[in-house]
Amino acid sequence: MTHLDRDTLALVALAELDLSPAEREHLQSCPACTGELDALRRTVLIGRTAGSVDLVKPADAVWGRIHAALGLSDAVAAPPRRGVDTSVDAAVVDESAAGMVRPPASVVELPRRRRWLPVAAAACLVGVLGGIGATVWWQAARAPEPLPVIAEAQLDALPGWTASGRAYLEEDADGRREVVVDVDGGADAGGLREVWLLTADATGLVSVGLLDGATGRFSIPAGIDLAEYPVVDVSAEPDDGNPAHSGDSIVRGTLSGL
């Protein structure tokens, strides 16, 4: 059996690519690929919601694992801390075995980017090191500028649910679009909550990601025409790896102002 390429699954998890009919058919019948996609979607979800997380100072053991994984010299064994001069004399860092001298080490503050790449890199490092505290060296201190809101939707509960919410659409100067979803309720039923864009008659749908907590921000694929997919839907999904809509929607509303 030929499984789906991991890079393809990563783009699907990021809502940057739609699968072909043949790929969708394989995904529905392959537990390995559906499990891989589910894990990637959770990584993307963690990355996209990391901007609202209060970071904690990592334990010294976190830097110890980074130090060991990268094979760094003993001269930089001490955990780097913000506001502490971590530069060392190049002669001390002389790597006689490799015949090289490493440049002085220092902690550099990196500006936060809105896109997923820095967060995904941090998430991969967390998977190796086993601690989310490692992301402190990649998280920026400056919040991004808010984007213009170009459309909004009131999200109303569907039968059987007590919930409400709001969705609004943002677009940057390069035309990249994000939908922000706020939902009050529906999180106590267990399983997962997934955000979808639907056609007006609900015959077509596109998943944009999993909602963890009350608020989520999701990128909209460039090829999606929101005039054709104006409905924002949040569904309750069993944690079974099936990428299809469960048919059990919690809230739903139509974007106005498009």
Side-chain angles (χ1 to χ4, degrees):
M1 176 185 297
T2 301
H3 294 290
L4 297 180
D5 183 75
R6 196 172 192 275
D7 290 342
T8 298
L9 292 175
L11 290 173
V12 173
L14 290 163
E16 299 285 351
L17 178 71
D18 288 331
L19 293 177
S20 67
E23 289 171 329
R24 288 183 181 277
E25 183 178 353
H26 173 83
L27 189 64
Q28 292 175 354
S29 61
C30 179
C33 288
T34 54
E36 179 80 6
L37 179 58
D38 190 49
L40 289 168
R41 280 176 168 167
R42 281 172 170 77
T43 300
V44 172
L45 177 62
I46 292 170
R48 285 174 173 161
T49 57
S52 60
V53 173
D54 292 331
L55 297 176
V56 298
K57 186 172 77 171
D60 290 351
V62 174
W63 175 251
R65 295 189 187 102
I66 296 175
H67 185 276
L70 298 180
L72 302 179
S73 72
D74 292 341
V76 289
R81 298 296 182 195
R82 290 183 177 181
V84 177
D85 183 8
T86 58
S87 61
V88 295
D89 191 292
V92 179
V93 195
D94 182 23
E95 305 243 338
S96 57
M100 299 170 55
V101 176
R102 290 181 182 268
S106 60
V107 177
V108 180
E109 295 288 342
L110 298 179
R112 175 183 296 167
R113 295 174 59 194
R114 295 183 58 81
R115 302 298 289 167
W116 62 274
L117 287 173
V119 181
C124 291
L125 184 59
V126 169
V128 175
L129 303 179
I132 197 168
T135 59
V136 71
W137 286 288
W138 285 266
Q139 193 77 11
R142 180 172 56 84
E145 292 293 330
L147 295 177
V149 175
I150 61 175
E152 298 185 62
Q154 180 67 37
L155 303 180
D156 298 320
L158 274 74
W161 292 96
T162 302
S164 62
R166 174 176 174 261
Y168 54 95
L169 180 67
E170 298 178 344
E171 183 174 2
D172 67 13
D174 296 325
R176 289 188 294 264
R177 301 164 300 172
E178 293 184 339
V179 61
V180 180
V181 178
D182 295 320
V183 177
D184 182 14
D188 54 354
L192 306 172
R193 291 180 299 164
E194 192 161 2
V195 180
W196 307 78
L197 297 175
L198 310 182
T199 57
D201 59 3
T203 58
L205 72 168
V206 176
S207 172
V208 295
L210 298 174
L211 178 64
D212 183 19
T215 301
R217 178 181 293 272
F218 308 94
S219 295
I220 298 176
I224 295 299
D225 182 359
L226 289 176
E228 184 180 355
Y229 291 86
V231 179
V232 178
D233 176 278
V234 181
S235 67
E237 300 289 339
D239 191 5
D240 57 4
N242 187 346
H245 195 294
S246 66
D248 186 10
S249 294
I250 302 171
V251 292
R252 184 179 295 177
T254 301
L255 291 166
S256 60
L258 295 172

